């Protein structure tokens, strides 16, 4: 059987990209290499004391960092610094954005915003986790230091976005705005190979993902939606929807992308802005969802149209099959 590696695919598609000059292709290839290294770390985590467990620090959002969060963050940052395509980054694990100092990096045209290891609470218990990334062209002049304005761009300006799922296999899924393609890491050859060409999210589905422990601390419309659509046996069905909540956004999103479904993380009385971060969790997945025919909103507004105001800004997040997201939104005032 003929296989297409990620590298071959990126090269073949380079001309699709309006600024085609090879840099974005190199950057995507660098992300794939760094994620292979992180995948290797994840696969051995239970065996290595220096990989598993708490790091002993908290990030700017007050969350306890795991050793693997920090290791993954460092792996990606080193790759970006060495590549020369990126002039600065922002990540969940760093308080502030990080403009790269070298003249080499400052010639880079891109910034990357990323969550190096999403689903931190699942690291120690051998449940799927992921990396999420979003790529923008810089606004500042090439050859200068990256600025906050480079980072705070609206999701519609994304040049590319994707995620890596460290699940029962490792998969990389990305878009450059011309559809969504998924690649599975073949450990025998160490390459990501095209396994899911032109991914489409089913228009509707039968699975919903929400931390239902929060049901009484979010607005009542969410409870109404879940009781009305998810927990009833609807006409023509033999049973209610299935609740499936992994607690790793990437894994829940990926399942819904393939099988159809909705993921909801609303604002709550304890997290009045929501929990998930606009820039490196919601926007990249929104770009993939829309490219696959799905929808991503705050419950009221389209995610990618939002103008970010802060690096670690949080929003309520409704993402998945188009009809399901629209139904959920109709319950919000
Ligand atoms: P993280 O980036 O610190 O891992 O937080 C994001 C995660 C998502 O992956 C997941 O869907 C959600 O937080 C789970 O939150 P909760 O434990 O509140 O249900
Ligand atoms: Mg995260």
């Amino acid at each position: 059987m003929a296989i297409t590696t990620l590298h071959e695919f990126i090269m073949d598609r380079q001309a699709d990209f309006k600024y085609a000059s090879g840099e974005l292709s190199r950057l995507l290839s660098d992300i794939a290499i760094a994620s292979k290294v992180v995948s290797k770390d994840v696969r051995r985590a239970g065996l290595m004391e220096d990989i598993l467990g708490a790091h002993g620090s908290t990030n700017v959002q007050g969350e306890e960092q795991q050793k693997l969060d920090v290791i993954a963050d460092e792996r990606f940052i080193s790759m970006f610094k060495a590549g020369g395509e990126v002039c600065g980054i922002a990540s969940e694990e760093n308080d502030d954005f990080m403009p790269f100092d070298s003249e080499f990096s400052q010639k880079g045209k891109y910034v990357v915003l990323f969550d190096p290891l999403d689903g931190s609470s699942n690291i120690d218990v051998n449940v799927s986790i992921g990396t999420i990334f979003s790529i923008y062209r810089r606004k500042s002049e090439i050859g200068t230091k990256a600025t906050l304005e480079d980072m705070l761009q609206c999701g519609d300006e994304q040049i590319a976005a994707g995620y890596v799922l460290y699940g029962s296999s490792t998969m990389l899924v990305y878009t450059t705005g011309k559809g969504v393609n998924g690649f599975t890491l073949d450990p025998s050859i160490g390459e990501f190979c095209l396994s899911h060409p032109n991914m489409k999210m089913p228009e509707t589905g039968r699975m919903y993902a929400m931390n239902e422990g929060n049901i009484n601390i979010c607005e009542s419309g969410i409870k109404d939606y879940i009781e009305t659509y998810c927990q009833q046996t609807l006409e023509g069905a033999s049973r209610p929807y299935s609740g499936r909540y992994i607690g790793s956004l990437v894994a829940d999103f990926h399942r819904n992308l393939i099988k159809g479904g909705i993921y909801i993380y609303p604002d709550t009385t304890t997290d009045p802005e929501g929990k998930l971060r606009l820039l490196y969790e919601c926007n990249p997945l929104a770009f993939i969802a829309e490219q696959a025919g799905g929808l991503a909103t705050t419950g009221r507004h389209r995610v990618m149209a939002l103008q970010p105001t802060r690096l670690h800004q949080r929003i309520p997040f409704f993402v998945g099959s188009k009809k399901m997201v629209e139904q959920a939104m109709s319950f919000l005032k």
Side-chain angles (χ1 to χ4, degrees):
M1 190 184 80
I3 55 170
T4 305
T5 67
L6 173 64
H7 187 70
E8 287 166 341
F9 187 88
I10 291 171
M11 290 306 163
D12 286 351
R13 294 292 174 98
Q14 190 165 299
D16 279 357
F17 179 59
K18 65 176 171 181
Y19 308 105
S21 59
E23 278 125 318
L24 180 74
S25 302
R26 280 201 297 279
L27 172 52
L28 288 167
S29 296
D30 285 352
I31 291 175
I33 294 170
S35 69
K36 284 190 221 175
V37 179
V38 172
S39 178
K40 180 207 71 184
D41 294 333
V42 169
R43 301 286 168 217
R44 293 185 314 158
L47 301 168
M48 315 288 288
E49 251 179 49
D50 53 339
I51 296 186
L52 211 59
H55 183 256
S57 50
T58 46
N59 65 18
V60 67
Q61 301 157 74
E63 298 159 342
E64 190 181 64
Q65 287 175 304
Q66 302 296 305
K67 284 179 199 157
L68 255 185
D69 284 327
V70 177
I71 292 170
D73 195 44
E74 288 167 357
R75 299 259 191 247
F76 281 99
I77 291 174
S78 321
M79 188 55 86
F80 295 140
K81 280 188 174 165
E85 297 89 27
V86 175
C87 61
I89 60 99
S91 95
E92 180 175 321
E93 304 311 328
N94 293 284
D95 300 2
D96 210 346
F97 74 96
M98 198 184 276
F100 294 159
D101 288 328
S102 75
E103 224 176 275
F104 173 64
S105 290
Q106 288 179 7
K107 290 198 184 118
K109 290 185 185 140
Y110 299 101
V111 294
V112 184
L113 291 88
F114 64 106
D115 181 352
L117 214 51
D118 181 64
S120 301
S121 68
N122 282 326
I123 294 176
D124 278 5
V125 291
N126 203 356
V127 174
S128 302
I129 44 183
T131 297
I132 314 175
F133 61 90
S134 180
I135 302 174
Y136 294 85
R137 276 177 84 85
R138 67 188 300 176
K139 292 268 176 205
S140 54
E141 206 177 309
I142 293 175
T144 63
K145 256 190 160 184
T147 63
L148 183 60
E149 200 201 352
D150 294 328
M151 308 290 159
L152 297 185
Q153 298 191 50
C154 128
D156 277 328
E157 310 261 355
Q158 288 175 102
I159 296 295
Y163 61 82
V164 185
L165 173 61
Y166 311 102
S168 45
S169 62
T170 297
M171 268 195 80
L172 188 151
V173 174
Y174 83 100
T175 184
T176 54
K178 303 256 178 206
V180 178
N181 291 284
F183 300 80
T184 301
L185 182 61
D186 180 341
S188 64
I189 56 170
E191 293 280 358
F192 281 105
C193 300
L194 182 62
S195 52
H196 295 64
N198 196 20
M199 298 175 87
K200 293 284 173 218
M201 194 175 248
E203 209 182 18
T204 189
R206 301 197 40 82
M207 289 191 215
Y208 72 102
M210 178 190 167
N211 180 344
E212 285 188 77
N214 291 335
I215 201 78
N216 291 318
I217 56 166
C218 59
E219 65 184 286
S220 60
I222 309 277
K223 194 176 184 179
D224 295 343
Y225 164 69
I226 290 194
E227 284 176 356
T228 311
Y229 273 100
C230 308
Q231 298 178 338
Q232 300 292 330
T233 303
L234 301 173
E235 212 183 307
S238 57
R239 48 179 290 189
Y241 288 177
S242 294
R244 291 279 187 280
Y245 188 68
I246 298 170
S248 287
L249 174 61
V250 174
D252 281 308
F253 177 87
H254 185 71
R255 183 201 54 244
N256 291 345
L257 173 59
I258 291 178
K259 295 197 160 183
I262 184 169
Y263 173 99
I264 301 176
Y265 209 115
D267 49 314
T268 62
T269 48
T270 48
D271 286 301
E273 297 185 324
K275 176 179 182 192
L276 298 172
R277 274 66 42 132
L278 169 60
L279 289 174
Y280 43 78
E281 292 175 326
C282 305
N283 265 337
L285 296 187
F287 193 14
I288 292 176
E290 286 196 7
Q291 282 292 317
L295 200 58
T297 76
T298 62
R300 292 179 169 82
H301 305 286
R302 191 173 154 263
V303 168
M304 288 203 290
L306 300 175
Q307 174 57 53
T309 52
R310 280 169 294 125
L311 219 44
H312 300 290
Q313 184 175 348
R314 296 173 192 263
I315 57 161
F317 195 39
F318 293 63
V319 66
S321 293
K322 191 164 180 283
K323 278 199 174 149
M324 297 175 88
V325 173
E326 282 167 356
Q327 266 158 1
M329 287 172 75
S330 71
F331 281 78
L332 303 182
K333 293 185 190 77

